[in-house]
Amino acid sequence: MSDACGSKVLEFYQDSVVLITGASGFLGKVLLEKLLRCLDARKVYVLIRRKRDYNAQMRLEQILKSLLFDRLRNETKAAKGLFEKIEAVEVNFERDDLGLEPAMRDRLRSEVEVAFNLLASVNFNEALDQALETNVECTRRVLNLLSGARRIKAVVHVSTFYSNCNRTMIEEKIYDDIGFGGYDNIKSTFAKLQDDKHKQFLSPVVLGEFPNSYTFSKKCAEVVVRDKFGHLPVGIFRPPIVTSSYREPVPGWIDNFNGPSGMVVPLSQGLYSAALLDSRKKPFIVPVDFCVNALLVCAYDVSKASATKTKTIPVYNYTDDSNLWTWGQVINGFFSGLGPIRKLVAKYFTGTTTDNPLRYAICKRIMMFQAFCLDLIRTFTGKEKIERPYRAKFDPNAFQGDRDRLMLVQ
């Protein structure tokens, strides 16, 4: 990015009011930190749902305690004042009005200028009707709120590069080949079904070539954004596999076991780990700080596109066609970061990559037995068992194995 463009982006965010959904997620946390540390925004509204006994403000405080924000705390004299720019807004995404009080709703609509919708469920094995509810309907409710925003300059909906993974060529446009009469028809059909067994029977038919409910629901969300909210200055950002930070704010920071880290972490601990993938395929992987930088620039670009009164919604595929690394080379990179003994053990014993489903099924049994043994150890030492929410029924074929969630233990 040129200095001239960089200065225009900084000017775009200066003294602006920003709204974020999904700030409790991996990408959302880094976006929030970057906005506070580098961009002189006047206010940042964070829409957060209540979770168990934690209200929105308590959850925001938990987010800000993260190691991710240490640089901001330690290097910025006015860190306290920056944190005071954030306001947690408690919402209920299941309600059409988001559960907002009229006064708060009007306040958001009168102040917000830039919005980032990162809200999504990334559970690849989620029931299709629930994935559509979270990834499509919740997006619709957020954009309904923003439809009344009087000062809005840019809205960026974060999708995924794999929203059209059934295609060999993915252009920067919205594909509406959902089938079955479109999204609204699919939604109404599922609403009429009361029996979960009927929904489970219908789901594979609706998904067709899509590997999971996540990718399909994100595709549907893009179509809804285009059809229902084309009047907004809105754009769609499609990131690929997002992994640990490269430099900012902490090199190598990550807070989840998704993607490549799902294999690296157990290997670094001497545990057995496996992934179903074709080692000859070339994945698209991007550090989270690079992804956030691109996301921030896209919002600026969306505002420019809206100023030209273009009717086409800008779509940004954040990928690099010069990518030369295969999965095999990526995995070898993982091994090279280990010590000599662990590298040898991992390469030949504890790290398995295969494109054979039968062999992978055996590998999963090994991982489950490993988890069972470690749970026993924790029980005997008076510790609680580690929860493994993705242990059952996860589809390992999603994205050709590039985000295989392993049954991890600590």
mmCIF file of all heavy atoms in Angstrom, residues 16-45:
data_model
loop_
_atom_site.group_PDB
_atom_site.id
_atom_site.type_symbol
_atom_site.label_atom_id
_atom_site.label_comp_id
_atom_site.label_asym_id
_atom_site.label_seq_id
_atom_site.Cartn_x
_atom_site.Cartn_y
_atom_site.Cartn_z
ATOM 1 N N SER A 16 -13.844 8.746 13.586
ATOM 2 C CA SER A 16 -15.036 8.033 13.114
ATOM 3 C C SER A 16 -15.652 7.203 14.237
ATOM 4 O O SER A 16 -15.032 6.951 15.274
ATOM 5 C CB SER A 16 -14.668 7.112 11.943
ATOM 6 O OG SER A 16 -13.750 6.126 12.365
ATOM 7 N N VAL A 17 -16.879 6.784 14.019
ATOM 8 C CA VAL A 17 -17.582 5.903 14.958
ATOM 9 C C VAL A 17 -17.752 4.554 14.277
ATOM 10 O O VAL A 17 -18.350 4.456 13.202
ATOM 11 C CB VAL A 17 -18.953 6.474 15.359
ATOM 12 C CG1 VAL A 17 -19.677 5.515 16.301
ATOM 13 C CG2 VAL A 17 -18.790 7.842 16.019
ATOM 14 N N VAL A 18 -17.193 3.519 14.901
ATOM 15 C CA VAL A 18 -17.136 2.190 14.287
ATOM 16 C C VAL A 18 -17.983 1.215 15.089
ATOM 17 O O VAL A 18 -18.031 1.278 16.328
ATOM 18 C CB VAL A 18 -15.677 1.682 14.235
ATOM 19 C CG1 VAL A 18 -15.602 0.316 13.565
ATOM 20 C CG2 VAL A 18 -14.793 2.689 13.503
ATOM 21 N N LEU A 19 -18.640 0.315 14.388
ATOM 22 C CA LEU A 19 -19.411 -0.749 15.030
ATOM 23 C C LEU A 19 -18.833 -2.097 14.598
ATOM 24 O O LEU A 19 -18.532 -2.306 13.423
ATOM 25 C CB LEU A 19 -20.889 -0.648 14.641
ATOM 26 C CG LEU A 19 -21.835 -1.720 15.208
ATOM 27 C CD1 LEU A 19 -23.201 -1.108 15.522
ATOM 28 C CD2 LEU A 19 -22.015 -2.899 14.243
ATOM 29 N N ILE A 20 -18.692 -3.016 15.568
ATOM 30 C CA ILE A 20 -18.164 -4.357 15.280
ATOM 31 C C ILE A 20 -19.087 -5.408 15.870
ATOM 32 O O ILE A 20 -19.486 -5.316 17.032
ATOM 33 C CB ILE A 20 -16.755 -4.558 15.880
ATOM 34 C CG1 ILE A 20 -15.780 -3.491 15.395
ATOM 35 C CG2 ILE A 20 -16.218 -5.945 15.533
ATOM 36 C CD1 ILE A 20 -14.406 -3.593 16.043
ATOM 37 N N THR A 21 -19.427 -6.414 15.070
ATOM 38 C CA THR A 21 -20.027 -7.629 15.613
ATOM 39 C C THR A 21 -18.984 -8.738 15.484
ATOM 40 O O THR A 21 -18.169 -8.734 14.574
ATOM 41 C CB THR A 21 -21.296 -8.040 14.839
ATOM 42 O OG1 THR A 21 -20.930 -8.450 13.504
ATOM 43 C CG2 THR A 21 -22.283 -6.891 14.754
ATOM 44 N N GLY A 22 -19.019 -9.674 16.419
ATOM 45 C CA GLY A 22 -18.036 -10.755 16.386
ATOM 46 C C GLY A 22 -16.692 -10.366 16.973
ATOM 47 O O GLY A 22 -15.670 -10.990 16.672
ATOM 48 N N ALA A 23 -16.666 -9.345 17.837
ATOM 49 C CA ALA A 23 -15.397 -8.884 18.415
ATOM 50 C C ALA A 23 -14.823 -9.876 19.422
ATOM 51 O O ALA A 23 -13.658 -9.752 19.816
ATOM 52 C CB ALA A 23 -15.582 -7.525 19.087
ATOM 53 N N SER A 24 -15.607 -10.846 19.851
ATOM 54 C CA SER A 24 -15.097 -11.850 20.786
ATOM 55 C C SER A 24 -14.400 -12.993 20.057
ATOM 56 O O SER A 24 -13.807 -13.858 20.689
ATOM 57 C CB SER A 24 -16.242 -12.410 21.645
ATOM 58 O OG SER A 24 -17.222 -13.040 20.826
ATOM 59 N N GLY A 25 -14.462 -12.997 18.723
ATOM 60 C CA GLY A 25 -13.815 -14.031 17.938
ATOM 61 C C GLY A 25 -12.364 -13.706 17.649
ATOM 62 O O GLY A 25 -11.871 -12.610 17.956
ATOM 63 N N PHE A 26 -11.678 -14.648 17.049
ATOM 64 C CA PHE A 26 -10.241 -14.523 16.769
ATOM 65 C C PHE A 26 -9.937 -13.294 15.918
ATOM 66 O O PHE A 26 -9.146 -12.421 16.301
ATOM 67 C CB PHE A 26 -9.776 -15.804 16.073
ATOM 68 C CG PHE A 26 -8.344 -15.806 15.631
ATOM 69 C CD1 PHE A 26 -7.328 -15.440 16.494
ATOM 70 C CD2 PHE A 26 -8.008 -16.187 14.333
ATOM 71 C CE1 PHE A 26 -5.998 -15.460 16.085
ATOM 72 C CE2 PHE A 26 -6.691 -16.210 13.920
ATOM 73 C CZ PHE A 26 -5.684 -15.842 14.796
ATOM 74 N N LEU A 27 -10.576 -13.185 14.767
ATOM 75 C CA LEU A 27 -10.352 -12.053 13.873
ATOM 76 C C LEU A 27 -10.862 -10.758 14.492
ATOM 77 O O LEU A 27 -10.227 -9.697 14.364
ATOM 78 C CB LEU A 27 -11.038 -12.320 12.531
ATOM 79 C CG LEU A 27 -10.826 -11.305 11.411
ATOM 80 C CD1 LEU A 27 -9.354 -11.228 11.025
ATOM 81 C CD2 LEU A 27 -11.674 -11.676 10.183
ATOM 82 N N GLY A 28 -11.999 -10.827 15.173
ATOM 83 C CA GLY A 28 -12.593 -9.634 15.764
ATOM 84 C C GLY A 28 -11.726 -8.993 16.833
ATOM 85 O O GLY A 28 -11.641 -7.767 16.937
ATOM 86 N N LYS A 29 -11.050 -9.802 17.644
ATOM 87 C CA LYS A 29 -10.176 -9.271 18.691
ATOM 88 C C LYS A 29 -9.013 -8.489 18.087
ATOM 89 O O LYS A 29 -8.657 -7.405 18.559
ATOM 90 C CB LYS A 29 -9.626 -10.411 19.547
ATOM 91 C CG LYS A 29 -10.650 -11.082 20.449
ATOM 92 C CD LYS A 29 -10.025 -12.266 21.163
ATOM 93 C CE LYS A 29 -11.052 -13.022 21.980
ATOM 94 N NZ LYS A 29 -10.492 -14.259 22.582
ATOM 95 N N VAL A 30 -8.424 -9.051 17.038
ATOM 96 C CA VAL A 30 -7.280 -8.380 16.405
ATOM 97 C C VAL A 30 -7.733 -7.090 15.724
ATOM 98 O O VAL A 30 -7.022 -6.082 15.746
ATOM 99 C CB VAL A 30 -6.595 -9.327 15.401
ATOM 100 C CG1 VAL A 30 -5.384 -8.650 14.758
ATOM 101 C CG2 VAL A 30 -6.145 -10.607 16.101
ATOM 102 N N LEU A 31 -8.918 -7.116 15.131
ATOM 103 C CA LEU A 31 -9.470 -5.908 14.521
ATOM 104 C C LEU A 31 -9.686 -4.825 15.570
ATOM 105 O O LEU A 31 -9.326 -3.654 15.357
ATOM 106 C CB LEU A 31 -10.796 -6.238 13.819
ATOM 107 C CG LEU A 31 -11.591 -5.050 13.278
ATOM 108 C CD1 LEU A 31 -10.811 -4.306 12.201
ATOM 109 C CD2 LEU A 31 -12.946 -5.512 12.737
ATOM 110 N N LEU A 32 -10.255 -5.194 16.696
ATOM 111 C CA LEU A 32 -10.507 -4.229 17.765
ATOM 112 C C LEU A 32 -9.190 -3.618 18.274
ATOM 113 O O LEU A 32 -9.085 -2.403 18.464
ATOM 114 C CB LEU A 32 -11.251 -4.915 18.913
ATOM 115 C CG LEU A 32 -11.566 -4.061 20.141
ATOM 116 C CD1 LEU A 32 -12.440 -2.869 19.759
ATOM 117 C CD2 LEU A 32 -12.252 -4.912 21.212
ATOM 118 N N GLU A 33 -8.181 -4.467 18.474
ATOM 119 C CA GLU A 33 -6.881 -3.983 18.957
ATOM 120 C C GLU A 33 -6.242 -3.016 17.966
ATOM 121 O O GLU A 33 -5.694 -1.988 18.348
ATOM 122 C CB GLU A 33 -5.969 -5.184 19.210
ATOM 123 C CG GLU A 33 -4.725 -4.879 20.037
ATOM 124 C CD GLU A 33 -3.567 -4.338 19.232
ATOM 125 O OE1 GLU A 33 -3.583 -4.476 17.983
ATOM 126 O OE2 GLU A 33 -2.636 -3.758 19.833
ATOM 127 N N LYS A 34 -6.325 -3.347 16.693
ATOM 128 C CA LYS A 34 -5.735 -2.503 15.647
ATOM 129 C C LYS A 34 -6.438 -1.154 15.575
ATOM 130 O O LYS A 34 -5.787 -0.104 15.432
ATOM 131 C CB LYS A 34 -5.835 -3.217 14.303
ATOM 132 C CG LYS A 34 -5.203 -2.476 13.137
ATOM 133 C CD LYS A 34 -3.704 -2.618 13.127
ATOM 134 C CE LYS A 34 -3.110 -2.026 11.847
ATOM 135 N NZ LYS A 34 -1.664 -2.237 11.745
ATOM 136 N N LEU A 35 -7.747 -1.155 15.695
ATOM 137 C CA LEU A 35 -8.501 0.097 15.678
ATOM 138 C C LEU A 35 -8.083 1.009 16.822
ATOM 139 O O LEU A 35 -7.940 2.225 16.648
ATOM 140 C CB LEU A 35 -10.008 -0.200 15.771
ATOM 141 C CG LEU A 35 -10.726 -0.573 14.480
ATOM 142 C CD1 LEU A 35 -12.109 -1.128 14.778
ATOM 143 C CD2 LEU A 35 -10.837 0.631 13.549
ATOM 144 N N LEU A 36 -7.878 0.425 17.994
ATOM 145 C CA LEU A 36 -7.511 1.229 19.161
ATOM 146 C C LEU A 36 -6.075 1.732 19.081
ATOM 147 O O LEU A 36 -5.794 2.884 19.402
ATOM 148 C CB LEU A 36 -7.685 0.401 20.440
ATOM 149 C CG LEU A 36 -9.114 0.007 20.810
ATOM 150 C CD1 LEU A 36 -9.097 -0.900 22.033
ATOM 151 C CD2 LEU A 36 -9.973 1.235 21.076
ATOM 152 N N ARG A 37 -5.165 0.865 18.654
ATOM 153 C CA ARG A 37 -3.740 1.193 18.705
ATOM 154 C C ARG A 37 -3.281 2.089 17.565
ATOM 155 O O ARG A 37 -2.413 2.945 17.753
ATOM 156 C CB ARG A 37 -2.922 -0.108 18.720
ATOM 157 C CG ARG A 37 -1.423 0.086 18.812
ATOM 158 C CD ARG A 37 -0.709 -1.229 19.114
ATOM 159 N NE ARG A 37 -1.134 -2.286 18.212
ATOM 160 C CZ ARG A 37 -0.608 -2.519 17.011
ATOM 161 N NH1 ARG A 37 0.372 -1.739 16.568
ATOM 162 N NH2 ARG A 37 -1.052 -3.498 16.250
ATOM 163 N N CYS A 38 -3.849 1.906 16.378
ATOM 164 C CA CYS A 38 -3.306 2.588 15.201
ATOM 165 C C CYS A 38 -4.238 3.599 14.542
ATOM 166 O O CYS A 38 -3.774 4.457 13.792
ATOM 167 C CB CYS A 38 -2.901 1.548 14.146
ATOM 168 S SG CYS A 38 -1.650 0.385 14.710
ATOM 169 N N LEU A 39 -5.522 3.486 14.784
ATOM 170 C CA LEU A 39 -6.468 4.356 14.091
ATOM 171 C C LEU A 39 -7.198 5.234 15.097
ATOM 172 O O LEU A 39 -7.675 4.750 16.126
ATOM 173 C CB LEU A 39 -7.475 3.523 13.283
ATOM 174 C CG LEU A 39 -6.821 2.569 12.267
ATOM 175 C CD1 LEU A 39 -7.859 1.675 11.624
ATOM 176 C CD2 LEU A 39 -6.056 3.344 11.209
ATOM 177 N N ASP A 40 -7.286 6.479 14.804
ATOM 178 C CA ASP A 40 -7.813 7.463 15.746
ATOM 179 C C ASP A 40 -9.331 7.561 15.663
ATOM 180 O O ASP A 40 -9.888 8.628 15.388
ATOM 181 C CB ASP A 40 -7.159 8.819 15.469
ATOM 182 C CG ASP A 40 -7.432 9.833 16.566
ATOM 183 O OD1 ASP A 40 -7.774 9.396 17.681
ATOM 184 O OD2 ASP A 40 -7.313 11.031 16.300
ATOM 185 N N ALA A 41 -9.988 6.416 15.909
ATOM 186 C CA ALA A 41 -11.452 6.423 15.904
ATOM 187 C C ALA A 41 -11.966 7.114 17.165
ATOM 188 O O ALA A 41 -11.329 7.075 18.222
ATOM 189 C CB ALA A 41 -11.978 4.995 15.838
ATOM 190 N N ARG A 42 -13.100 7.747 17.045
ATOM 191 C CA ARG A 42 -13.666 8.451 18.198
ATOM 192 C C ARG A 42 -14.404 7.505 19.135
ATOM 193 O O ARG A 42 -14.370 7.667 20.353
ATOM 194 C CB ARG A 42 -14.614 9.553 17.706
ATOM 195 C CG ARG A 42 -15.394 10.282 18.807
ATOM 196 C CD ARG A 42 -15.951 11.599 18.301
ATOM 197 N NE ARG A 42 -16.726 11.436 17.091
ATOM 198 C CZ ARG A 42 -18.046 11.205 17.069
ATOM 199 N NH1 ARG A 42 -18.713 11.089 18.205
ATOM 200 N NH2 ARG A 42 -18.695 11.098 15.925
ATOM 201 N N LYS A 43 -15.056 6.490 18.545
ATOM 202 C CA LYS A 43 -15.882 5.581 19.341
ATOM 203 C C LYS A 43 -15.938 4.228 18.643
ATOM 204 O O LYS A 43 -15.951 4.151 17.409
ATOM 205 C CB LYS A 43 -17.306 6.147 19.457
ATOM 206 C CG LYS A 43 -18.235 5.362 20.343
ATOM 207 C CD LYS A 43 -18.085 5.784 21.780
ATOM 208 C CE LYS A 43 -19.110 5.120 22.679
ATOM 209 N NZ LYS A 43 -18.943 5.500 24.089
ATOM 210 N N VAL A 44 -15.938 3.154 19.441
ATOM 211 C CA VAL A 44 -16.093 1.809 18.891
ATOM 212 C C VAL A 44 -17.202 1.111 19.659
ATOM 213 O O VAL A 44 -17.066 0.827 20.861
ATOM 214 C CB VAL A 44 -14.792 0.989 18.989
ATOM 215 C CG1 VAL A 44 -15.014 -0.396 18.384
ATOM 216 C CG2 VAL A 44 -13.637 1.697 18.284
ATOM 217 N N TYR A 45 -18.307 0.851 18.982
ATOM 218 C CA TYR A 45 -19.399 0.076 19.571
ATOM 219 C C TYR A 45 -19.156 -1.403 19.277
ATOM 220 O O TYR A 45 -18.909 -1.782 18.134
ATOM 221 C CB TYR A 45 -20.743 0.493 18.977
ATOM 222 C CG TYR A 45 -21.242 1.838 19.453
ATOM 223 C CD1 TYR A 45 -21.210 2.951 18.614
ATOM 224 C CD2 TYR A 45 -21.752 1.993 20.740
ATOM 225 C CE1 TYR A 45 -21.673 4.185 19.046
ATOM 226 C CE2 TYR A 45 -22.220 3.225 21.181
ATOM 227 C CZ TYR A 45 -22.180 4.322 20.327
ATOM 228 O OH TYR A 45 -22.644 5.540 20.764
#
